[in-house]
Amino acid sequence: MPIPHPIHHNPKLDEWLSAQGADLELRQTVLAMAAATAAIAGEIRQLALEGTAGLESGIINVQGETQLKLDDVCNQLCLDLLQQVPVVRYLVSEEIDHVVTNTYAPGTHDFAVCFDPLDGSGNIATNNTVGTVFCVLDCTGAQGDAEQKVLSSTRNQLAAGYALYGPATLLVLTTGKRVAKFALNEMTRLYELVRDDIRIAPEASEFSINMAYAPLWPRPVRTYVRNCIAGKSGPRGKAFNMRWAGAMVADMHRVFIKGGHFIYPAMPKKGEPDGKLRLLYEGIPMAMLAETAGGAAMAGTQRLRDVVPTSIHQRTPVSLGARDEVMLLAGSPDLVRAA
Ligand code: AHG
Ligand code: MN
Ligand code: MN
């Protein structure tokens, strides 16, 4: 069945997806998500004009976090656009406690889209960068109820992407072959291809972590960061820089473009034994993008994409980006010796 909503039309994005070998169903799904992000970009600017961007919705979400009105608006836009795609059977959102089942129409496959509609929402009040991050899973043939089907399909990841609402609105996408960057044309409201060969260099001299939690980090993270900031005279023998935007999408975008290493570790001493970031709609999408760009993605000492989730809002430690740095932190014996 064709998609009735004209907003899904985005010829250059569709062309790129076709060139990646994406079938019609996957293209429709990604185009719907892209349309949602274009609409979100407009909402963010509109609320800023109205002076209401930082207002709270009055709801504490399933994460126990205070929801902004904008979190809710962005969530609704993602739901509204994705639910018009017949193949999108299941939706998992940071803002909804359960798996939403789409009853629009049966497709030939069952896809799940897992999304964080507004990443870094704490940045909204100060007009700093925020984003949207998502992945598409193929649940076709999976067993059990909706939640079990989604949880057992995280290794069948068909696509991942994020939008970055900064000075320009960007969309970074992969279907597992290449990582491409699109920019939103503000006149046509359509995404245009800017670059389709984003690679993360294996070495890096920049890391990204919230230093305020240093006393709470696990020992390997403390040692790793201490060695980085020791600079040229330290065990690493080179100077490192540090950046923290407070939105994973913004911090990871810098890693994709300039190289680097993003870490949000487990912090048992802070009551966060699995860290803060969520596996299904923050960790797994960024891991697919990072690995496809030649980088690495670990959850502690385990490859992040190999973690089998047991709940949809499960958290995960993340270490993402430059392969040598990620593997050094994960304790790869060769690299530990080299350091
Ligand atoms: P969200 O706004 O979707 O809840 O995500 C915010 C996350 C992530 O984007 C960012 O890296 C991290 O929270 C920042 O956490 P700290 O405030 O602990 O630094
Ligand atoms: Mn987030
Ligand atoms: Mn969010």
Side-chain angles (χ1 to χ4, degrees):
M1 181 184 288
I3 297 174
H5 206 298
I7 200 168
H8 292 155
H9 172 74
N10 202 324
K12 291 185 181 157
L13 191 47
D14 198 19
E15 205 175 285
W16 181 82
L17 288 165
S18 297
Q20 302 304 299
D23 64 12
L24 181 67
E25 291 178 327
L26 183 58
R27 278 158 40 216
Q28 289 176 328
T29 305
V30 175
L31 289 175
M33 199 65 215
T37 64
I40 289 170
E43 285 294 332
I44 291 172
R45 279 154 180 70
Q46 184 57 36
L47 291 194
L49 272 179
E50 294 167 10
T52 54
L55 290 188
E56 295 175 2
S57 70
I59 291 170
I60 304 291
N61 72 10
V62 61
Q63 323 288 332
E65 294 164 356
T66 305
Q67 192 189 63
L68 298 184
K69 282 197 164 145
L70 198 53
D71 284 311
D72 186 35
V73 167
C74 297
N75 182 45
Q76 277 308 325
L77 281 167
C78 293
L79 289 177
D80 290 351
L81 286 157
L82 287 167
Q83 284 183 315
Q84 295 172 38
V85 184
V87 76
V88 177
R89 174 67 46 208
Y90 306 114
L91 301 107
V92 174
S93 167
E94 181 192 347
E95 303 301 335
I96 303 174
D97 61 355
H98 60 282
V99 178
V100 174
T101 300
N102 181 18
T103 52
Y104 176 67
T108 54
H109 291 97
D110 284 340
F111 288 179
V113 182
C114 306
F115 54 93
D116 174 358
L118 186 63
D119 177 62
S121 52
N123 281 358
I124 281 291
T126 51
N127 194 34
N128 282 308
T129 304
V130 290
T132 297
V133 53
F134 71 96
C135 66
V136 182
L137 309 178
D138 188 357
C139 305
T140 310
Q143 302 296 308
D145 62 18
E147 182 166 343
Q148 288 163 336
K149 285 182 181 172
V150 172
L151 294 174
S152 62
S153 301
T154 52
R155 292 191 200 197
N156 304 330
Q157 204 178 340
L158 301 177
Y162 63 83
L164 188 74
Y165 313 108
T169 296
L170 302 178
L171 182 66
V172 174
L173 282 180
T174 190
T175 60
K177 291 185 177 153
R178 298 170 81 85
V179 177
K181 178 173 87 170
F182 299 81
L184 187 69
N185 181 324
E186 298 286 339
M187 304 294 283
T188 62
R189 309 300 297 163
L190 298 175
Y191 282 107
E192 296 183 14
L193 183 63
V194 179
R195 212 180 129 183
D196 87 336
D197 61 346
I198 293 177
R199 304 289 298 167
I200 302 174
E203 313 87 26
S205 51
E206 191 164 281
F207 63 92
S208 188
I209 189 168
N210 188 336
M211 296 291 290
Y213 304 134
L216 306 172
W217 294 337
R219 182 182 294 274
V221 178
R222 285 210 305 273
T223 307
Y224 172 82
V225 173
R226 190 178 59 227
N227 289 348
C228 290
I229 61 182
K232 283 191 179 155
S233 56
R236 301 295 307 275
K238 65 174 182 175
F240 280 78
N241 194 17
M242 193 281 285
R243 287 284 182 271
W244 186 249
M248 179 191 61
V249 168
D251 283 311
M252 278 305 293
H253 188 65
R254 197 182 49 255
V255 168
F256 283 108
I257 301 303
K258 293 180 68 180
H261 182 192
F262 175 84
I263 310 157
Y264 207 111
M267 284 188 287
K269 289 187 206 161
K270 191 170 172 262
E272 294 178 355
D274 294 315
K276 179 180 183 187
L277 300 182
R278 279 56 56 111
L279 182 67
L280 260 62
Y281 41 82
E282 292 177 320
I284 287 174
M286 271 315 165
M288 183 184 194
L289 286 156
E291 289 187 347
T292 307
M298 298 291 284
T301 54
Q302 186 181 11
R303 181 174 172 252
L304 195 149
R305 291 173 77 193
D306 287 340
V307 175
V308 179
T310 54
S311 68
I312 57 169
H313 296 293
Q314 182 169 329
R315 295 175 193 261
T316 180
V318 305
S319 168
L320 301 163
R323 201 175 50 237
D324 290 357
E325 295 298 321
V326 171
M327 298 321 289
L328 177 63
L329 176 58
S332 165
D334 288 351
L335 291 163
V336 171
R337 268 196 299 278

